[in-house]
């Protein structure tokens, strides 16, 4: 079983929090350890945000708790009114995420009759602060989270799957392969990869607020992601056309050119697959989709301008043009990704 870095760092944070608590002779190191566990988040910014919420919740919970315990300690009715008051205050201040911990501190103070409520509140604030500071410091300094490689890997996989899909769609159009179900599987796979990339991009964006880890900025990665997402919409349009089917007679009008486009695209895919980095200088110089895209444009113009095109069923011609248009758009967006 693989142990993740976040798991290891959480263990380190708990250990350090307990050591510091013992050194300071804190009576309840439990709260410091809990704060460290909760504050160890997937990103440093999330760790900081979670920590701040706990501190805010502790402070407000302590203040409200002190007020109500002074009125009547442990009174059930006042307990409920106090929690309602706390929630209203937190909502008014816009600190909704701190409501839970604020409520816990409030109840702890309100029901605590063995210790001075002010002392109790200060102790909870100290305990929580120790765990939070330790967790944020460890998350920031020890192998800080970076999502560059994960995002780049996902984008590369999506790009390859888009190319594979285009090649397979041409094979189905030419009736070399009738397994349209495979296209549906590829569409679903690309969609999952896009969702995963979007999650990593959001985490990357959060990290850049704290420190610019990684060589590639979120904005650059987002541009590639956006282009691939747009390409995905074109793939779905191609899928719809193929599911309806295109009259063989229409396909035969441009069959020779379609064969060439498919062969060139397959050769491009093979060459691109040999590269280890999609953004490498060699790809930018040698792997170009412009010639294939130009051929697609010519096929589209040839079909539209054919003298006797009106003799063929309009619906079938339109479906063929829709297929060609979406293929062109997909490859143009892909070409932008590998050239920039």
């Amino acid at each position: 079983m693989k142990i993740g870095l976040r798991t290891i760092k959480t263990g380190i944070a708990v250990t350090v929090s307990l050591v510091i608590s013992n050194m300071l002779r804190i009576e309840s190191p439990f709260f410091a350890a809990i704060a460290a566990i909760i504050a160890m988040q997937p990103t440093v910014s999330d760790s900081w945000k979670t920590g701040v919420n706990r501190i805010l919740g502790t402070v407000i919970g302590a203040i409200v708790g002190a007020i109500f315990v002074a009125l009547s300690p442990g009174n059930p009715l006042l307990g409920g009114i106090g929690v309602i008051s706390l929630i209203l205050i937190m909502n008014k201040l816009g600190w909704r995420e701190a409501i839970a911990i604020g409520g816990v501190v409030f109840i702890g103070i309100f029901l605590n009759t063995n210790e001075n409520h002010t002392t109790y509140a200060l102790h909870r604030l100290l305990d929580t602060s120790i765990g939070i500071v330790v967790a944020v410091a460890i998350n920031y300094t020890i192998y800080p989270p970076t999502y560059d490689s994960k995002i780049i890997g996902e984008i590369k996989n999506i790009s390859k799957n888009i190319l594979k899909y285009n090649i397979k769609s041409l094979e189905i159009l030419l009736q070399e392969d009738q397994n349209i179900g495979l296209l549906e599987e590829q569409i679903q796979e690309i969609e999952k990869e896009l969702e995963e990339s979007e999650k990593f991009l959001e985490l990357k964006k959060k990290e850049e607020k704290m420190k610019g880890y990684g060589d590639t900025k979120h904005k650059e990665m987002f541009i590639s992601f956006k282009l691939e997402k747009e390409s995905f919409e074109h793939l779905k349009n191609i899928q719809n056309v193929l599911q309806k089917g295109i009259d063989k007679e229409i396909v035969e009008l441009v069959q020779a050119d379609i064969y060439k486009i498919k062969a060139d695209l397959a050769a491009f895919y093979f060459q691109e697959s040999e590269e280890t980095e999609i953004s490498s200088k060699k790809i930018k110089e040698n792997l170009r989709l412009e010639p294939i895209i130009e051929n697609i444009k010519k096929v589209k113009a040839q079909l539209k301008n054919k003298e006797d095109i009106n003799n063929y069923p309009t619906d079938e011609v339109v479906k063929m043009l829709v297929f060609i248009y979406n293929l062109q758009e997909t490859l143009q967006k892909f070409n932008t990704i590998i050239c920039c």
Side-chain angles (χ1 to χ4, degrees), residues 295-333:
N295 285 339
I296 294 173
K297 290 179 180 179
K298 289 177 183 178
V299 170
K300 184 170 64 175
Q302 175 187 336
L303 188 63
K304 290 171 66 176
N305 299 326
K306 191 172 178 60
E307 292 182 0
D308 60 344
I309 194 64
N310 292 329
N311 296 331
Y312 296 91
T314 302
D315 289 349
E316 298 300 318
V317 174
V318 169
K319 283 192 289 184
M320 188 66 195
L321 287 172
V322 168
F323 179 94
I324 295 171
Y325 166 78
N326 283 283
L327 178 64
Q328 174 190 325
E329 287 296 310
T330 300
L331 296 182
Q332 282 180 332
K333 288 176 173 57

Side-chain angles (χ1 to χ4, degrees), residues 204-220:
K204 169 70 177 176
K205 185 177 181 180
K206 289 180 180 179
E207 280 303 87
E208 287 188 359
K209 293 178 182 178
M210 299 298 295
K211 185 172 180 179
Y213 293 112
D215 299 324
T216 310
K217 297 297 182 183
H218 169 269
K219 186 176 180 180
E220 298 171 17

Side-chain angles (χ1 to χ4, degrees), residues 7-23 29 32-37 40 130-131 134-135 138 142:
T7 301
I8 295 173
K9 290 194 291 184
T10 300
I12 295 173
V14 169
T15 299
V16 174
S17 296
L18 292 176
V19 169
I20 293 175
S21 296
N22 290 335
M23 290 174 61
I34 291 299
I37 293 172
M40 186 59 68
I130 289 173
V134 169
I138 288 175
I142 301 178

Side-chain angles (χ1 to χ4, degrees), residues 120-300:
Y120 181 87
L122 291 174
H123 283 173
R124 296 297 74 78
L125 183 60
L126 177 61
D127 300 341
T128 300
S129 298
I130 289 173
I132 290 167
V133 171
V134 169
V136 172
I138 288 175
N139 206 15
Y140 188 84
T141 57
I142 301 178
Y143 292 102
T146 174
Y147 296 93
D148 296 54
S149 58
K150 293 179 180 178
I151 297 171
I152 291 172
E154 287 293 335
I155 288 176
K156 186 172 182 180
N157 287 336
I158 294 169
S159 297
K160 287 188 174 182
N161 283 332
I162 286 175
L163 283 176
K164 283 167 63 177
Y165 181 94
N166 284 325
I167 294 169
K168 181 60 65 177
S169 67
L170 289 170
E171 291 176 351
I172 290 176
L173 180 69
L174 294 168
Q175 297 187 353
E176 295 179 342
D177 190 335
Q178 297 300 315
N179 187 8
I180 197 168
L182 182 59
L183 285 183
E184 181 62 32
E185 292 176 8
Q186 289 179 335
I187 280 280
Q188 292 174 358
E189 182 65 26
I190 294 171
E191 188 170 25
K192 289 179 183 177
E193 290 172 339
L194 284 169
E195 290 173 356
E196 195 71 13
S197 295
E198 195 162 21
K199 292 177 184 177
F200 288 142
L201 278 167
E202 186 60 31
L203 292 172
K204 169 70 177 176
K205 185 177 181 180
K206 289 180 180 179
E207 280 303 87
E208 287 188 359
K209 293 178 182 178
M210 299 298 295
K211 185 172 180 179
Y213 293 112
D215 299 324
T216 310
K217 297 297 182 183
H218 169 269
K219 186 176 180 180
E220 298 171 17
M221 293 180 174
F222 181 76
I223 291 172
S224 295
F225 170 77
K226 185 178 179 182
L227 288 168
E228 289 191 328
K229 201 166 184 179
E230 291 172 357
S231 295
F232 179 70
E233 293 303 316
H234 290 296
L235 295 188
K236 290 198 291 187
N237 292 337
I238 290 174
Q239 179 87 359
N240 289 335
V241 171
L242 291 175
Q243 285 176 338
K244 294 175 182 177
I246 302 176
D247 194 296
K248 184 177 180 181
E249 187 179 21
I250 302 299
V251 177
E252 288 176 347
L253 294 175
V254 289
Q255 185 169 282
D257 295 298
I258 296 296
Y259 270 119
K260 185 174 188 317
I261 290 170
K262 189 206 74 172
D264 291 344
L265 197 56
F268 177 93
Y269 173 78
F270 176 77
Q271 189 177 0
E272 189 274 335
S273 297
E274 293 296 307
E275 299 295 334
T276 56
E277 292 293 339
I278 197 167
S279 60
S280 68
K281 183 178 179 181
K282 185 175 180 181
I283 280 186
K284 292 181 179 180
E285 292 177 349
N286 299 334
L287 296 184
R288 309 293 286 183
L289 275 169
E290 284 93 339
I292 301 175
I293 294 171
E294 286 304 314
N295 285 339
I296 294 173
K297 290 179 180 179
K298 289 177 183 178
V299 170
K300 184 170 64 175

